[in-house]
Amino acid sequence: MKVVLFGATGMIGRGVLRECLLDDRVSAVLAVGRSPVGVVHDKLRELVHADLLDLAAVEGELAGHDACFFCLGVSSAGMREGDYRRVTYDLTLNVASTLARLSPRSTFVYVSGAGTDARSRTMWARVKGETENALLGLPLNAYMFRPGYIQPLHGATSRTRLYRVAYVVARPLYPLLRLMFPSAVTTTERIGRAMIAVAARGAPRRVLGPSDINALAS
């Protein structure tokens, strides 16, 4: 399958990219973002585009893909709702709407978050929930990934300094977390493998939590 990947420079996206490049079911990966990924591979092609809210100039590059893995996102910490909505809702729907027009019924996997709820009083949860609902209304085979705690593996790191520190502290505890809360934790490796599995054969439900992700990955 041919995959277009958004957010390949982030922690989750880098993990997903690694799994795509390793998996024989993926024949080609187009990584789209504002900056280069810094990875060289025969299956990988990069498209650096500054304004992801305006894809008109690169639409021809986006057509003909079987799946989109959308791993692009920002932390809501310190952001006003309007700014967070522009990045989380507007940008995501612009990409998804474009792909729905170019490749209707292709697979679209969106990385959301545990606790997402369009009726929540919490800003980030509400905006992500509204984003999920809008995606599910498009002519795409859309799946929402709601991971809980994510352990980065194989060199994947968060771009947020506070999160990087937190992952360093939590890493020795990950085996214990996995033992005590198996339905609440996953890894960047498992997320990547689960996305490929969903693109290849679908999933029993459209909204998938950590236990669903781990099951698909295996």
Side-chain angles (χ1 to χ4, degrees):
M1 72 184 82
K2 296 173 65 178
V3 170
V4 56
L5 172 61
F6 285 80
T9 59
M11 184 186 83
I12 297 174
R14 189 164 289 276
V16 172
L17 175 61
R18 177 183 185 272
E19 298 310 311
C20 287
L21 297 180
L22 290 173
D23 198 304
D24 290 339
R25 289 172 293 182
V26 179
S27 59
V29 181
L30 175 65
V32 184
R34 299 185 184 94
S35 58
V37 177
V39 175
V40 177
H41 194 281
D42 290 343
K43 291 200 292 189
L44 175 64
R45 186 165 63 90
E46 293 194 61
L47 175 60
V48 178
H49 185 64
D51 186 2
L52 298 181
L53 283 165
D54 183 1
L55 299 172
V58 297
E59 280 193 4
E61 302 286 341
L62 300 175
H65 289 84
D66 303 294
C68 174
F69 299 154
F70 196 88
C71 305
L72 187 65
V74 296
S75 169
S76 64
M79 292 187 73
R80 294 179 297 182
E81 181 167 345
D83 295 331
Y84 184 71
R85 180 177 293 275
R86 178 177 172 82
V87 176
T88 302
Y89 183 95
D90 295 349
L91 193 155
T92 305
L93 265 295
N94 183 59
V95 171
S97 298
T98 300
L99 293 176
R101 178 165 46 82
L102 296 173
S103 303
R105 299 302 169 190
S106 59
T107 298
F108 190 96
V109 182
Y110 174 63
V111 178
S112 186
T116 294
D117 184 349
R119 296 170 296 179
S120 176
R121 293 183 179 181
T122 303
M123 183 270 285
W124 74 262
R126 183 175 63 257
V127 174
K128 277 188 174 289
E130 292 172 2
T131 304
E132 286 187 353
N133 291 342
L135 290 172
L136 291 169
L138 292 175
L140 293 166
N141 292 319
Y143 295 89
M144 311 298 115
F145 272 35
R146 292 183 179 179
Y149 174 81
I150 305 168
Q151 181 62 47
L153 298 178
H154 310 299
T157 57
S158 173
R159 300 176 72 179
T160 304
R161 183 176 182 276
L162 180 60
Y163 290 175
R164 288 199 302 271
V165 173
Y167 281 122
V168 169
V169 173
R171 187 178 184 87
L173 301 175
Y174 174 68
L176 181 61
L177 292 173
R178 184 176 59 184
L179 181 64
M180 295 179 64
F181 308 105
S183 63
V185 300
T186 189
T187 67
T188 51
E189 179 181 87
R190 287 180 175 179
I191 290 174
R193 291 179 179 179
M195 285 190 179
I196 296 169
V198 165
R201 61 176 187 269
R205 58 184 63 87
R206 292 301 180 99
V207 179
L208 305 164
S211 57
D212 302 307
I213 293 168
N214 292 338
L216 285 163
S218 59

